[in-house]
């Protein structure tokens, strides 16, 4: 070392971690975010494939990409029944593949109103099973197919199995106009509702009778007798009211008509009605061994006494 020169100081060694947070935590967080995204992607793909399997839709190129599904729907948008069902299947899967809020935008691109899209998907759900083959063939076009959405599952099954539900016949659907089919479906729907209401009324009556029977069984014998007599009196009064009221008026009308036309057939017919009632009452008395009673001053008494 030469004279007059100062010795160099040793270079300062800096700590690489000084003033910087450790990277391990950040890397772990990034890894968890990436794994979460992968898991969500797998879950979404499984959901889309499950919907496709449920409605019988063949994914284009076996891919869940919404763009490919949308193009496939466009290719299938023809007016044949099978094409309608395929459109409905595709829409159901497209809806499953879209994130929230995107399905309506894609319907706009396809030019499909959301209410129409709903009917496509309903048709796919109702008629995509193999049992609906004959019904689809009879429908023949999209308009009739949509009209038949009003049928419930039981009516669809009845049409397929028996060829008829109510007055609606499978063989006649193909020859009907849309207006005629709509009217027939309205009537079939009304028949189905009437049957459902009748069944509901019967079930309600049965429930009422069961409840009444249980209540009567819990009463003391004297009260049970009083209940049964009250019910029998009510039925008796209804029948007697019909006989002396409605039946009598019907007999008066028949009698007047017979007098005008001078025919005796009406009299014979009227006698037959009364004789049948009398015979039914005698049969009831014989069945239960009832005495022949008359109404006396103090009530009913045995006429033989």
């Amino acid at each position: 070392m030469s004279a007059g020169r100062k010795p160099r100081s040793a270079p300062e060694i800096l700590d690489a971690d000084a003033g910087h947070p450790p990277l391990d935590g950040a890397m772990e967080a990034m890894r968890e975010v990436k794994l979460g995204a992968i898991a969500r992607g797998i879950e979404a793909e499984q959901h889309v494939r499950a919907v496709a399997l449920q409605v019988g839709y063949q994914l284009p190129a076996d891919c869940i990409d919404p763009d490919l599904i949308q193009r496939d729907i466009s290719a299938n948008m023809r007016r044949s029944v099978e094409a309608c069902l395929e459109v409905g299947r595709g829409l159901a899967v497209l809806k499953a593949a879209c994130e929230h809020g995107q399905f309506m935008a894609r319907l706009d691109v396809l030019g499909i109103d959301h209410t129409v899209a709903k009917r496509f998907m309903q048709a796919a759900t109702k008629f995509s099973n193999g049992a609906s083959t004959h019904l689809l063939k009879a429908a023949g076009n999209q308009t009739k197919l949509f009209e038949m959405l009003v049928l419930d599952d039981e009516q669809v099954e009845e049409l397929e199995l028996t060829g008829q539900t109510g007055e609606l016949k499978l063989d006649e659907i193909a020859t009907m106009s849309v207006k005629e089919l709509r009217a027939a479906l309205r009537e079939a729907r009304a028949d189905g509702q009437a049957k459902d209401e009748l069944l509901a009324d019967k079930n309600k009556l049965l429930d009422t009778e069961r409840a009444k029977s249980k209540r009567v069984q819990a009463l003391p014998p004297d009260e049970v007798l009083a209940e049964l007599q009250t019910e029998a009196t009510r039925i008796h009064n209804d029948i007697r009211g019909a006989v002396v009221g409605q039946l009598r008026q019907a007999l008066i009308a028949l009698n007047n008509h017979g007098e005008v036309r001078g025919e005796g057939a009406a009299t014979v017919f009227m006698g037959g009605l009364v004789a049948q009632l009398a015979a039914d009452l005698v049969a009831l008395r014989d069945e239960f061994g009832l005495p022949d009673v008359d109404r006396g001053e103090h009530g009913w008494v045995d006429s033989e006494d």
Side-chain angles (χ1 to χ4, degrees):
M1 179 180 299
S2 60
R5 296 180 63 182
K6 294 181 179 181
R8 290 183 177 181
S9 59
E12 182 179 0
I13 300 176
L14 299 177
D15 187 351
D17 294 332
H20 298 281
L23 297 179
D24 290 346
M27 294 296 292
E28 182 63 24
M30 291 175 62
R31 181 173 176 273
E32 290 180 0
V33 170
K34 185 175 181 180
L35 290 175
I38 293 174
R40 286 192 296 274
I42 293 173
E43 183 179 355
E45 179 173 354
Q46 290 175 339
H47 174 61
V48 174
R49 292 187 181 279
V51 173
L53 181 63
Q54 181 181 13
V55 299
Y57 176 70
Q58 181 64 47
L59 287 165
D62 195 32
C63 180
I64 67 165
D65 181 13
D67 290 327
L68 289 179
I69 298 172
Q70 180 175 316
R71 285 199 291 270
D72 187 53
I73 293 172
S74 296
N76 283 309
M77 285 183 66
R78 291 171 279 117
R79 296 188 65 83
S80 72
V81 171
E82 282 300 329
C84 290
L85 295 181
E86 193 64 18
V87 169
R89 298 182 190 111
L91 287 171
V93 179
L94 176 62
K95 185 176 182 180
C98 288
E99 295 182 5
H100 181 70
Q102 291 185 352
F103 183 61
M104 298 296 289
R106 291 186 180 272
L107 288 181
D108 290 338
V109 174
L110 289 167
I112 304 177
D113 181 79
H114 73 281
T115 56
V116 176
K118 183 178 179 181
R119 300 187 79 182
F120 272 119
M121 290 187 286
Q122 287 174 336
T125 301
K126 184 178 287 288
F127 301 119
S128 282
N129 60 77
S132 301
T133 304
H134 299 300
L135 184 58
L136 297 178
K137 184 178 180 181
N141 60 58
Q142 169 186 316
T143 305
K144 286 187 178 181
L145 183 71
F146 284 172
E147 290 292 340
M148 289 193 295
L149 286 175
V150 300
L151 295 172
D152 56 37
D153 293 341
E154 289 76 13
Q155 289 175 308
V156 172
E157 183 177 359
E158 189 176 17
L159 268 176
E160 282 292 333
L161 294 177
T162 68
Q164 183 172 350
T165 180
E167 296 299 320
L168 181 64
K169 297 180 180 179
L170 186 63
D171 294 340
E172 296 175 355
I173 292 176
T175 59
M176 287 180 176
S177 66
V178 174
K179 185 177 180 180
E180 290 171 337
L181 177 61
R182 186 179 297 123
L185 288 168
R186 190 183 302 116
E187 186 174 345
R189 186 66 171 170
D191 288 343
Q193 290 175 345
K195 290 179 182 178
D196 291 342
E197 291 173 2
L198 180 61
L199 181 60
D201 290 341
K202 288 182 177 179
N203 290 336
K204 185 177 180 181
L205 180 61
L206 286 174
D207 291 340
T208 302
E209 291 300 323
R210 290 192 190 102
K212 184 188 295 184
S213 177
K214 289 181 179 179
R215 183 176 64 83
V216 169
Q217 290 173 6
L219 295 174
D222 290 344
E223 293 186 27
V224 172
L225 177 60
E227 286 271 353
L228 294 175
Q229 288 178 333
T230 300
E231 181 67 12
T233 302
R234 182 188 65 78
I235 296 172
H236 167 270
N237 290 338
D238 289 343
I239 296 173
R240 187 165 183 269
V243 170
V244 300
Q246 295 169 283
L247 180 58
R248 182 173 180 274
Q249 292 301 316
L251 293 177
I252 290 172
L254 285 166
N255 186 64
N256 292 339
H257 181 74
E259 289 179 353
V260 171
R261 296 180 59 88
E263 297 175 353
T267 303
V268 175
F269 176 76
M270 294 161 59
L273 294 178
V274 174
Q276 182 62 60
L277 283 176
D280 290 338
L281 291 174
V282 170
L284 279 176
R285 188 173 61 190
D286 293 342
E287 179 181 355
F288 297 101
L290 304 176
D292 188 4
V293 297
D294 293 323
R295 181 180 288 276
E297 183 180 351
H298 302 290
W300 294 102
V301 295
D302 190 337
S303 59
E304 296 180 358
D305 296 337

